Amino acid sequence: MGKKQVTFADIAAYTNFSKTTISRYFNHPDSLTLENQEKISQALDTLGYKKNKLAKVLANGKSEFIGIIIPNLYLHYYSEMLTQILSSYRDFHYKFLVFVSDNGPSEEEQYIDELMAYQIEGLIVLSHTLSSEKLASYQIPVIAIEREAEHICGVTSDNYMGALQAATLLIRDKCDVLIHVNADVPKSIPAYDRIRAFEDTCQEYHVPYELNLNVIGDSYQDIFAQMKHIFSDIDEKYPCKKKGIFLANDTYANMFLNLIFQKYGCFPDSYELVGFDNSPIASEAILPITTVGQQIDLIAKTAIELLVQQMEERKKRRPVPLSEPIHKQITPVLIRRDTTS
Amino acid sequence: MGKKQVTFADIAAYTNFSKTTISRYFNHPDSLTLENQEKISQALDTLGYKKNKLAKVLANGKSEFIGIIIPNLYLHYYSEMLTQILSSYRDFHYKFLVFVSDNGPSEEEQYIDELMAYQIEGLIVLSHTLSSEKLASYQIPVIAIEREAEHICGVTSDNYMGALQAATLLIRDKCDVLIHVNADVPKSIPAYDRIRAFEDTCQEYHVPYELNLNVIGDSYQDIFAQMKHIFSDIDEKYPCKKKGIFLANDTYANMFLNLIFQKYGCFPDSYELVGFDNSPIASEAILPITTVGQQIDLIAKTAIELLVQQMEERKKRRPVPLSEPIHKQITPVLIRRDTTS
DNA sequence: TTGTACGCGTTATCAA
DNA sequence: TTGATAACGCGTACAA
């Protein structure tokens, strides 16, 4: 370190004020005369003062830290969400301590303990490994994003509306049969609504449909191998029909599109494709893919506002805690591109 | 808050030890008898003690914070780098305060001031807006990743070796003419070496080549529009030749590949393509793209180790500062896929 | 408008 | 092996 920090005491000695006055210069400048403000301001930069916010936190208990637990940044959905969350610094000036975790509950608990030790005022959870019951047991505001959130506040896409829009489009475009390709999603998580909405819509319009929930595997290669089978099954099963395929995400949709292209050398009229997420691959594919765009910026904004509101509430002399968790849904938008008519 | 924190004072009162002894329980447990360790351990969880690391920092000056300034998470390169950096927590237990910044130097300086106020022990910079001279003026260890780093430590890919491998592959594959497509990169940044290596290699092997450094624009659409022109120029200019195209990144390469595919319905033998970055799009393209893979995990690991070493050094009673900045280069690997023979 | 005195939760120094 | 006391840098009653 060499020489130690310049502190209020140094400024006070230099200006012949007390430490309190220096403190007030920062927190209630109006209570000083302009003349004295100027004096202190000068002293500050002749002495080269640097703030120490940690000392401030210790004194007033407001860390202005928010913890984030996120499963990975590999998926565009997560990296974009993190970007949006971090950029809320411009509005609220909360600082973010970020942990990436996808290695099970014990690691995640350890991370949260560490975050608590740094006196975070709130927590944003995007990972799925800890139950909302467990998360609620930490005595701070917690916001879940796109995950099970029974006992805590949560923000999700309106998956039902998203899938409904996708299915409706395929039906309007006069597809003879609709097929939904997805992993075998557990019913507890929000994304399950995509399956529900697809079925409901097909039934409502009396359109033949099929659910293919057989996608499994972690790596791109694994999933691509699955997708090859799924494609050839579908391609053989409905030779003369116009097939409307709704895929669980844009990565799946891109794979499917590539398989079609590799077989036919073009995108034939007998297919329509809709993906989900509006991730970069949907734009960058051999043909821009129609997709359901989650409004990530809005989701992040909603989550932060919900969190900030609760954190501010807790700082009041007589805080009124939420009587029960608030849950919000953000409607996604259908983005029509070249894989639908 | 409701009830306040349980502190060492509470534990001390409960166990009839002093605060000092409680502190020692955590920092030098060997200096207590096993019996007393047990007593304190019990008291800790009957009282429900939670650590307060901020108080610890104030007392001993070691924040264990590292600041990160990163331009965006939209590019796979950055999001993967951030993932790797954050995951170093498992080894070193430094916590990361992350800022995303691409809005100019004044915003970035403000972010760094905020980081300094939180007593960060080190800083990792991936953005390009602040000069290394400016960065060196903050009196803490700073590591630059893949950017200008004259006055600070830095880690970069060995861009020269990467481009050399790409060009050499295209030459071995008997391309008649080599073309490098890139933006007009300034000479000061490490990525300029890709252009240098390409030229050097073509000249060394006496192979006809062309530099096309005309890619400009921020959005995918802008760049794609540029790429259309570049493609049709090249496609017309060398009708009967085997063209080896080395593109500055996988996004460019994928665009070029799509344009080829859309024109020819397949990938003709008259083309070879090599991208750069090994980003997901290179695997997910209509044809898996040969690319130069930056070893992001290794770069991150090297950067963190360099930083940790300097941060530890500063904590010694008589720290020996670096006489001059250390710069390391990580050799990328050529990943051969389906756009080269 | 300004100052005094104490608290925030932990560590470091010295002494026992 | 343990304890008393003074930091660390700032905020906040309360008083002047």
Side-chain angles (χ1 to χ4, degrees):
Chain A
M1 307 277 149
K3 45 271 164 188
K4 23 180 44 172
Q5 297 188 49
V6 178
T7 75
F8 282 9
D10 300 317
I11 312 291
Y14 185 87
T15 57
N16 291 321
F17 288 113
S18 69
K19 292 196 298 179
T20 313
T21 301
I22 311 301
S23 174
R24 267 194 281 264
Y25 170 82
F26 288 103
N27 299 318
H28 309 282
D30 309 334
S31 70
L32 307 199
T33 65
L34 281 174
E35 197 188 329
N36 288 344
Q37 288 186 41
E38 189 51 35
K39 259 189 206 164
I40 295 178
S41 169
Q42 301 248 331
L44 251 30
D45 55 68
T46 66
L47 296 188
Y49 172 75
K50 310 280 180 212
K51 286 188 181 174
N52 183 335
K53 289 225 182 178
L54 293 188
K56 178 169 183 164
V57 172
L58 190 62
N60 72 7
K62 302 168 188 182
S63 69
E64 297 179 354
F65 282 142
I66 294 176
I68 301 180
I69 312 263
I70 195 163
N72 64 66
L73 301 180
Y74 179 83
L75 294 179
H76 168 260
Y77 175 81
Y78 288 126
S79 59
E80 180 62 20
M81 189 68 76
L82 183 58
T83 302
Q84 296 297 331
I85 293 173
L86 295 181
S87 73
S88 76
Y89 173 81
R90 294 191 190 90
D91 296 325
F92 299 110
H93 287 224
Y94 281 94
K95 270 66 60 181
F96 295 96
L97 283 164
V98 186
F99 281 101
V100 174
S101 173
D102 49 356
N103 295 313
S106 73
E107 185 188 71
E108 205 162 314
E109 283 188 46
Q110 185 197 324
Y111 288 168
I112 297 184
D113 286 344
E114 181 83 340
L115 288 170
M116 297 297 288
Y118 278 94
Q119 311 299 100
I120 54 168
E121 297 185 42
L123 180 62
I124 298 178
V125 181
L126 294 100
S127 68
H128 293 236
T129 51
L130 256 31
S131 71
S132 66
E133 203 171 347
K134 173 73 182 171
L135 290 170
S137 72
Y138 296 95
Q139 296 297 343
I140 54 167
V142 182
I143 307 282
I145 295 184
E146 201 69 24
R147 52 153 283 154
E148 179 269 310
E150 192 179 339
H151 300 86
I152 53 182
C153 291
V155 182
T156 65
S157 276
D158 189 338
N159 288 275
Y160 195 94
M161 274 305 295
L164 185 149
Q165 291 181 75
T168 305
L169 175 66
L170 294 175
I171 292 170
R172 276 209 208 111
D173 285 353
K174 312 236 182 284
C175 291
D176 300 316
V177 54
L178 263 59
I179 302 161
H180 178 47
V181 178
N182 205 331
D184 193 10
V185 182
K187 293 192 182 181
S188 62
I189 78 169
Y192 183 76
D193 279 349
R194 299 181 196 174
I195 300 176
R196 272 186 48 228
F198 177 82
E199 275 204 279
D200 290 356
T201 308
C202 290
Q203 287 174 359
E204 186 182 332
Y205 287 88
H206 303 96
V207 177
Y209 71 94
E210 183 180 319
L211 287 179
N212 189 320
L213 308 179
N214 301 320
V215 185
I216 36 176
D218 291 324
S219 74
Y220 184 84
Q221 301 308 331
D222 286 356
I223 296 174
F224 189 58
Q226 303 276 325
M227 200 59 74
K228 276 185 181 167
H229 290 126
I230 294 172
F231 166 68
S232 63
D233 286 355
I234 292 173
D235 201 54
E236 285 173 23
K237 192 166 171 187
Y238 305 103
C240 306
K241 306 223 173 182
K242 179 166 183 181
K243 298 164 281 290
I245 323 276
F246 171 44
L247 298 107
N249 62 55
D250 292 330
T251 301
Y252 292 1
N254 178 63
M255 289 177 179
F256 207 95
L257 175 62
N258 284 346
L259 289 164
I260 292 174
F261 235 88
Q262 278 158 10
K263 173 156 184 183
Y264 295 101
C266 68
F267 187 68
D269 289 338
S270 57
Y271 275 104
E272 295 219 342
L273 253 49
V274 181
F276 210 106
D277 283 349
N278 190 26
S279 55
I281 186 67
S283 306
E284 299 176 2
I286 179 81
L287 215 63
I289 298 172
T290 294
T291 187
V292 179
Q294 321 216 38
Q295 303 199 64
I296 298 181
D297 51 351
L298 238 181
I299 297 175
K301 187 164 178 285
T302 307
I304 290 286
E305 283 173 358
L306 211 53
L307 188 59
V308 168
Q309 190 184 318
Q310 290 175 57
M311 293 187 303
E312 299 302 332
E313 181 67 31
R314 294 180 102 235
K315 292 176 189 170
K316 297 182 181 168
R317 52 278 127 191
R318 183 163 163 8
V320 181
L322 256 38
S323 55
E324 55 181 42
I326 298 175
H327 296 106
K328 302 217 175 186
Q329 291 208 318
I330 307 298
T331 307
V333 294
L334 187 64
I335 298 168
R336 301 179 65 163
R337 292 203 268 244
D338 301 353
T339 57
T340 51
S341 65
Chain B
M1 310 275 147
K3 45 272 164 189
K4 23 183 41 172
Q5 296 189 49
V6 177
T7 74
F8 282 10
D10 301 316
I11 312 291
Y14 184 87
T15 56
N16 291 320
F17 287 113
S18 69
K19 293 194 297 179
T20 313
T21 301
I22 312 302
S23 174
R24 266 194 283 263
Y25 169 83
F26 289 104
N27 299 319
H28 308 282
D30 308 335
S31 70
L32 308 197
T33 64
L34 280 175
E35 198 187 330
N36 288 343
Q37 289 186 41
E38 189 53 32
K39 259 189 206 164
I40 295 178
S41 169
Q42 300 248 332
L44 251 30
D45 55 67
T46 66
L47 295 188
Y49 172 76
K50 311 279 180 213
K51 285 188 181 173
N52 184 334
K53 290 225 184 177
L54 293 189
K56 178 168 181 165
V57 172
L58 189 61
N60 74 5
K62 302 168 187 180
S63 69
E64 297 179 357
F65 282 141
I66 293 175
I68 302 180
I69 311 263
I70 194 164
N72 64 66
L73 301 179
Y74 179 83
L75 293 179
H76 168 260
Y77 175 81
Y78 288 126
S79 60
E80 180 62 21
M81 189 67 77
L82 183 57
T83 302
Q84 296 297 331
I85 292 173
L86 294 181
S87 74
S88 76
Y89 174 81
R90 294 193 188 89
D91 296 323
F92 299 109
H93 286 221
Y94 281 94
K95 270 69 59 179
F96 295 95
L97 283 164
V98 186
F99 281 101
V100 174
S101 174
D102 48 355
N103 295 313
S106 74
E107 186 188 70
E108 204 161 315
E109 283 186 49
Q110 185 196 324
Y111 289 168
I112 297 183
D113 286 345
E114 182 84 339
L115 289 170
M116 296 297 288
Y118 278 95
Q119 312 298 103
I120 54 168
E121 296 185 43
L123 180 62
I124 299 177
V125 181
L126 294 100
S127 68
H128 293 236
T129 50
L130 255 33
S131 71
S132 66
E133 202 170 348
K134 172 74 182 172
L135 290 170
S137 73
Y138 296 95
Q139 295 297 343
I140 54 168
V142 182
I143 307 284
I145 295 184
E146 202 68 24
R147 53 153 283 155
E148 177 270 311
E150 192 179 339
H151 301 87
I152 53 182
C153 291
V155 182
T156 66
S157 278
D158 189 336
N159 287 276
Y160 195 96
M161 275 304 296
L164 185 151
Q165 291 180 76
T168 306
L169 175 65
L170 294 174
I171 292 169
R172 275 209 211 111
D173 285 354
K174 311 233 183 287
C175 292
D176 301 315
V177 54
L178 263 59
I179 302 160
H180 178 48
V181 177
N182 205 330
D184 192 12
V185 181
K187 293 193 181 179
S188 61
I189 78 171
Y192 185 77
D193 278 349
R194 299 181 195 173
I195 299 174
R196 271 187 48 228
F198 177 82
E199 275 202 280
D200 289 357
T201 309
C202 290
Q203 287 173 358
E204 185 181 335
Y205 288 89
H206 303 94
V207 177
Y209 71 93
E210 183 181 319
L211 287 180
N212 189 320
L213 308 179
N214 302 320
V215 186
I216 36 174
D218 291 325
S219 74
Y220 183 84
Q221 301 308 332
D222 286 356
I223 296 174
F224 189 58
Q226 303 277 324
M227 200 60 73
K228 275 185 182 167
H229 290 127
I230 295 173
F231 166 68
S232 60
D233 285 355
I234 293 174
D235 200 57
E236 285 172 22
K237 191 166 172 186
Y238 306 102
C240 305
K241 305 224 174 181
K242 179 166 184 181
K243 300 164 279 291
I245 323 276
F246 171 44
L247 299 107
N249 61 55
D250 291 330
T251 300
Y252 293 0
N254 177 63
M255 288 177 179
F256 207 94
L257 176 61
N258 285 345
L259 289 164
I260 292 174
F261 234 87
Q262 278 159 10
K263 171 155 187 183
Y264 295 101
C266 69
F267 188 69
D269 288 339
S270 55
Y271 275 104
E272 295 221 342
L273 254 50
V274 182
F276 210 105
D277 283 348
N278 191 25
S279 55
I281 187 66
S283 306
E284 299 175 3
I286 179 81
L287 215 63
I289 299 172
T290 294
T291 187
V292 179
Q294 321 216 37
Q295 303 198 63
I296 298 181
D297 51 349
L298 238 180
I299 296 174
K301 187 163 177 286
T302 306
I304 290 286
E305 284 174 358
L306 211 53
L307 188 58
V308 168
Q309 190 185 318
Q310 290 176 57
M311 293 187 303
E312 299 302 332
E313 181 66 31
R314 294 180 102 233
K315 293 177 189 169
K316 296 182 181 167
R317 51 277 128 191
R318 178 155 169 17
V320 182
L322 256 38
S323 55
E324 57 181 41
I326 298 175
H327 296 106
K328 302 216 176 185
Q329 291 208 318
I330 308 298
T331 307
V333 294
L334 187 63
I335 299 168
R336 301 179 64 163
R337 292 202 271 244
D338 301 355
T339 56
T340 52
S341 67

